[in-house]
Amino acid sequence: DKLVEWSLVNPLEIKFSWSSKLPFYRMRITIKDEIVTLGVPNISPSNITHTKKVSASDWNKLLSDENTIVIDTRNDYEVKIGTFQNAVNPNT
């Protein structure tokens, strides 16, 4: 109940599942300013206003366009597992 009431978590969709055993020894929440540190002050992705959401069908159209450049910003491990064809890996 306290987690649901917490104002920082309140905008998130919380999903519950039940178990006959405790799945975790304990739960700890740490608030981070950035998940992946950019190292650039005064930049916040939430302040970027020139982006738009892309539907799955539009995404597929973008991928088939030879002028589309996909930059895969995931870490090396994730890129090795799989990436989009011809995606650029900036080695983040």
Side-chain angles (χ1 to χ4, degrees):
D1 292 335
K2 291 290 182 188
L3 182 62
V4 175
E5 294 171 10
W6 192 21
S7 64
L8 291 172
V9 177
N10 197 8
L12 302 175
E13 179 184 353
I14 299 174
K15 298 179 181 178
F16 294 95
S17 62
W18 304 99
S19 174
S20 60
K21 297 179 181 179
L22 288 176
F24 305 104
Y25 173 70
R26 68 178 180 188
M27 183 173 114
R28 182 174 72 180
I29 298 173
T30 305
I31 304 299
K32 301 283 187 176
D33 291 332
E34 294 178 303
I35 296 172
V36 177
T37 303
L38 298 174
V40 180
N42 303 322
I43 288 184
S44 174
S46 61
N47 293 337
I48 296 172
T49 58
H50 60 275
T51 62
K52 67 177 185 176
K53 293 184 179 180
V54 178
S55 69
S57 61
D58 286 343
W59 174 250
N60 289 335
K61 289 177 191 172
L62 283 169
L63 287 178
S64 65
D65 182 346
E66 64 184 33
N67 294 315
T68 297
I69 299 171
V70 177
I71 302 172
D72 194 338
T73 60
R74 298 172 305 150
N75 64 44
D76 289 336
Y77 171 77
E78 293 169 322
V79 171
K80 285 179 186 174
I81 290 174
T83 189
F84 291 100
Q85 186 175 1
N86 299 323
V88 175
N89 177 4
N91 298 310
T92 52

